[in-house]
Amino acid sequence: ASSDIPNFPEFVFVGMVDGVQMVHYDSNIQKVVPEQDWMKQTDAEFCEKERENLFYSQQSFKAEVATL
């Protein structure tokens, strides 16, 4: 997470399997981006559900940082 850095997302999630990036999400684009061919074959419903989960995580984390 970051704050007040121009053109840099406030929140970034990177999914890794065995040290290989499989997916990422950031607060600027607010969508799940598959990075591996096998992840690109997942259905749209899976990616949308993950996007929703990560969006809520983003909002929660932002609130927690504001509290700190």
Side-chain angles (χ1 to χ4, degrees):
S2 66
S3 63
D4 298 328
I5 301 174
N7 302 316
F8 195 80
E10 288 183 316
F11 180 85
V12 176
F13 169 86
V14 176
M16 307 280 289
V17 173
D18 293 333
V20 177
Q21 182 178 339
M22 62 174 200
V23 66
H24 85 267
Y25 167 95
D26 73 52
S27 56
N28 287 349
I29 61 171
Q30 294 188 349
K31 67 180 184 176
V32 172
V33 179
E35 298 293 338
Q36 300 296 318
D37 288 339
W38 61 271
M39 277 299 296
K40 294 176 183 174
Q41 296 173 11
T42 58
D43 62 14
E45 184 178 328
F46 172 81
C47 286
E48 177 58 21
K49 184 173 181 170
E50 288 303 302
R51 186 204 66 77
E52 288 174 7
N53 290 338
L54 290 166
F55 178 78
Y56 292 123
S57 293
Q58 169 189 334
Q59 298 305 313
S60 175
F61 191 77
K62 188 175 178 180
E64 290 172 13
V65 169
T67 300
L68 292 174

